[in-house]
Amino acid sequence: MIQRHPERSEGPGWRGGAPRVPQTIAPTTRPAPSRTLGITAALVLLCACATAPNSAPIDHPPPPPPEPLTTAIASRVVLMSFDGLGADDVERLKPKTILGIGAKGTYAQRVTPVTPTVTSSTHAAILTGRNPRDTGILANNFHQPGTAPGVNTRGMEAEIKKPTVIDYARRAGKRVGSVVFPTVDGSTPRRTPDWGLVWTTSVVPARVVHLGTTDFHAAWLPPGWGMPTATHRSFSPPLRARIEREREQFDLVGYDTTNDRVRNYDSFFVEREGSEQPVDSHGWFAVSTRFGDGLYGAWSKLVNFDPALTDVTLYLGAIHRNRGVPDDYVRMIDDEVGFWPGAADEHNVDRETFIEQSDRLSQFLSKATALSIRRMPFDLLLAYQPIVDTAEHRWRGVDEPVIAAAIADADRSVNAINAELDATRDALVVTGDHGVAAIDTDVHISRILAMRGFAPRWTAYAGGNVALFNRAGEPDDTKTLVTFLQNLATADGTKVFEKVEVEGDVIALAFPRFAITTKDGEPFTPSESHGQHGGSATHHEFDTLLVASGAGVAREDLPQLWQTNIAGYVLRLLGIGP
Ligand SMILES: [Zn+2]
């Protein structure tokens, strides 16, 4: 018996008033079976501090959408977040496993994210059931009160001011694993899982190198170079080039396999430390080395070569290593899944390479998550994949099939993880953090502030469609800035910001087609990327979705759900009470 709520609620905003966190907890319009499990009390506790008597609601929002029902307690709960997984894309592409899980269990077709719809704020909301104002994760970049003027605080790294599902799980004596879930980065005890991988950036960045005639050598082999004799038949002298960079060295060796009296190289192997491996049919090869603190490696690609090897293009992928806790868990991932392959390169690679990298990261994370489910003890597992978001930033509106490929990867991952779970005991909850809209213009807000005399007193902090402004000097011209931002328009007269509010700092939300950047540049330029998010959740392209199946999950369809309801749902599935 499913209640329909035809009138869409726009969800909690910056100010939010009534529909903020209490919605996670407030009695809904129907009896929730979970309440009979005595779990609601925990949720009431969750919100008690948010209902200060004198915080009068500023407006009267529509009634909240219903929360998902729970029918029992699951012995293990897996919460998977796919960054950028938008409701529109899922409706259009119909990924089989994701929709299949929704059809068997709970399908919330539209999850309204918090505003701003940036990754740090939305994941803090998923983890706490709270809005950015409560969690303190105001945006991906903002000025933290109490820090020096001009100091940028990154939303992904800032302390979340309200209890997270990890905090509640811990208090209940539950074990929490995490596979690169945002904000679960090991930086403080609260942000450290019992075991898990944390998101990591490259140890050595990717670069493209061009090799020419002088880089390749035939018979001459300096001491320590590769193999002394050719291991493959070659009708011209094998040619080798040595690649050396921090934590990596190898020889790229070319062979001529055609007996045609022409020096035309057509086959390549990578040699190091007396062993060799072929370059695969797409040009890829992996080089990894075990150091005292773990396995380091890179996936690199032979992008282009001419048969005479006078012009060879080599993409040297970024060198990465797994990071996480504890050491023996990370070692298990090193040994059985491999080194951290890194995210798809948003700048240096072509479409095909991007798709291959995206696919590789997705497979790595799927395998790491699946292995963790098999081997590690947990009650709550938080899992994350960035691939859909990464594809959307670069390809939204330009090459949608790349995004479809990333969503297909996400779907395969859900299938692989679901296969590890026992639906009679375990619950799987899959969601996104926001959708991604097409953009066409970058707004260089720092330059604009300087041109209009607002800088240096005012500093802008920006990312995606959102900018925050902090003032460090007198006079207080906040009203002047607000009016200026409200009227800021491009040359063709299009207004940039749809909402400008004063909330301590000045917070401005741009229309989805504008990305706000603090990088220097002319005030308005064609956008560097093609997809963005961060704008107001009133735009339905930022909607995401939720599907769930397994133990404790009801069979129901929900037209709309608030992102701030997810934390309470996960806690109810875990049966966590005070
Ligand atoms: Zn995101």
Side-chain angles (χ1 to χ4, degrees):
M1 202 172 53
I2 313 301
Q3 284 199 351
R4 295 282 168 188
H5 281 242
E7 266 182 59
R8 180 192 159 88
S9 155
E10 294 300 357
W14 276 100
R15 294 171 179 278
R20 282 197 312 273
V21 184
Q23 294 314 325
T24 314
I25 303 100
T28 54
T29 50
R30 58 188 178 158
S34 61
R35 229 166 261 138
T36 62
L37 301 171
I39 295 150
T40 307
L43 301 167
V44 170
L45 189 75
L46 248 167
C47 72
C49 39
T51 51
N54 53 357
S55 66
I58 284 142
D59 44 24
H60 298 280
E67 296 184 42
L69 298 175
T70 51
T71 57
I73 292 171
S75 61
R76 300 188 299 181
V77 177
V78 177
L79 171 62
M80 286 197 83
S81 165
F82 286 95
D83 206 312
L85 186 66
D88 289 348
D89 288 321
V90 167
E91 278 174 15
R92 191 166 47 86
L93 296 165
K94 301 187 170 39
K96 214 173 123 204
T97 305
I98 290 172
L99 291 188
I101 284 171
K104 261 193 304 189
T106 291
Y107 180 20
Q109 295 150 36
R110 295 261 152 191
V111 169
T112 307
V114 294
T115 298
T117 52
V118 293
T119 301
S120 57
S121 304
T122 53
H123 278 95
I126 290 169
L127 288 172
T128 60
R130 305 287 190 128
N131 268 328
R133 191 169 72 168
D134 298 328
T135 61
I137 310 303
L138 299 178
N140 282 350
N141 297 291
F142 61 98
H143 182 259
Q144 181 95 275
T147 60
V151 171
N152 183 58
T153 293
R154 292 175 53 81
M156 211 61 97
E157 294 162 6
E159 199 64 67
I160 298 170
K161 288 180 180 164
K162 295 293 177 186
T164 66
V165 291
I166 301 172
D167 297 323
Y168 284 104
R170 286 260 163 78
R171 279 178 216 173
K174 308 264 186 194
R175 297 153 299 184
V176 181
S178 173
V179 178
V180 304
F181 204 86
T183 78
V184 187
D185 57 9
S187 62
T188 67
R190 280 186 71 204
R191 297 161 76 98
T192 306
D194 292 290
W195 53 264
L197 291 178
V198 302
W199 184 263
T200 178
T201 51
S202 62
V203 179
V204 179
R207 67 189 171 107
V208 176
V209 295
H210 295 278
L211 304 175
T213 314
T214 55
D215 297 303
F216 283 95
H217 303 277
W220 177 75
L221 280 183
W225 278 47
M227 295 181 174
T229 52
T231 51
H232 302 279
R233 191 165 190 198
S234 190
F235 294 92
S236 306
L239 287 182
R240 66 177 60 227
R242 169 150 287 198
I243 304 298
E244 277 180 307
R245 54 178 175 158
E246 190 191 332
R247 293 188 182 267
E248 183 183 270
Q249 60 174 15
F250 63 86
D251 292 352
L252 177 69
V253 189
Y255 296 89
D256 173 4
T257 66
T258 52
N259 186 7
D260 53 8
R261 297 175 185 277
V262 182
R263 278 175 71 112
N264 48 359
Y265 293 89
D266 58 354
S267 175
F268 297 88
F269 287 80
V270 166
E271 288 182 11
R272 58 187 293 277
E273 292 172 1
S275 67
E276 67 161 16
Q277 56 170 313
V279 169
D280 79 11
S281 59
H282 293 268
W284 287 105
F285 57 93
V287 174
S288 63
T289 310
R290 193 172 293 277
F291 290 90
D293 58 350
L295 185 68
Y296 288 71
W299 281 93
S300 296
K301 187 178 189 181
L302 179 59
V303 180
N304 263 313
F305 64 92
D306 64 319
L309 304 189
T310 59
D311 184 13
V312 175
T313 306
L314 205 51
Y315 170 74
L316 296 176
I319 297 177
H320 291 95
R321 59 171 286 217
N322 288 311
R323 291 179 197 273
V325 288
D327 289 347
D328 56 358
Y329 170 77
V330 179
R331 205 169 308 123
M332 177 185 83
I333 300 294
D334 281 354
D335 292 345
E336 299 191 41
V337 187
F339 62 86
W340 173 252
D345 191 325
E346 291 185 56
H347 306 288
N348 297 310
V349 301
D350 61 12
R351 174 188 198 274
E352 186 197 8
T353 306
F354 182 97
I355 293 172
E356 290 161 347
Q357 289 178 318
S358 179
D359 187 55
R360 184 177 293 127
L361 177 61
S362 183
Q363 283 190 36
F364 172 87
L365 290 171
S366 286
K367 282 184 196 163
T369 308
L371 181 70
S372 301
I373 290 171
R374 280 200 296 279
R375 299 279 180 79
M376 303 301 291
F378 69 93
D379 301 288
L380 173 63
L381 170 56
L382 304 169
Y384 169 81
Q385 294 200 11
I387 49 164
V388 177
D389 179 80
T390 313
E392 288 168 323
H393 278 288
R394 181 157 170 191
W395 305 99
R396 174 56 91 205
V398 175
D399 194 339
E400 290 286 331
V402 181
I403 297 169
I407 289 177
D409 276 337
D411 201 52
R412 273 190 290 276
S413 296
V414 174
N415 192 43
I417 275 99
N418 195 36
E420 300 293 336
L421 299 173
D422 173 354
T424 64
R425 299 169 51 236
D426 304 323
L428 174 63
V429 180
V430 178
T431 190
D433 58 344
H434 53 73
V436 170
I439 56 165
D440 54 41
T441 303
D442 284 343
V443 179
H444 296 261
I445 196 68
S446 298
R447 170 71 72 90
I448 293 170
L449 290 185
M451 285 167 67
R452 292 310 188 101
F454 288 107
R457 270 176 307 115
W458 287 93
T459 305
Y461 303 83
N465 317 114
V466 62
L468 292 89
F469 301 85
N470 176 256
R471 184 175 56 85
E474 299 302 323
D476 183 355
D477 55 350
T478 302
K479 278 185 183 156
T480 314
L481 178 71
V482 168
T483 307
F484 170 73
L485 294 172
Q486 283 168 338
N487 293 304
L488 180 65
T490 59
D492 64 9
T494 314
K495 279 196 180 179
V496 172
F497 293 108
E498 60 177 320
K499 203 168 193 183
V500 183
E501 295 188 346
V502 181
E503 182 84 42
D505 289 344
V506 175
I507 300 162
L509 297 170
F511 287 99
R513 58 168 280 209
F514 295 107
I516 314 300
T517 175
T518 53
K519 279 190 217 163
D520 197 25
E522 290 304 307
F524 301 102
T525 58
S527 59
E528 268 182 17
S529 60
H530 298 288
Q532 268 302 351
H533 52 96
S536 168
T538 52
H539 296 284
H540 296 193
E541 57 264 53
F542 296 135
D543 284 355
T544 176
L545 71 148
L546 178 143
V547 296
S549 70
V553 174
R555 168 75 279 279
E556 64 174 345
D557 292 321
L558 300 168
Q560 189 193 4
L561 178 70
W562 281 346
Q563 193 162 53
T564 46
N565 284 342
I566 295 172
Y569 181 48
V570 168
L571 291 176
R572 288 198 298 280
L573 286 170
L574 281 169
I576 291 180

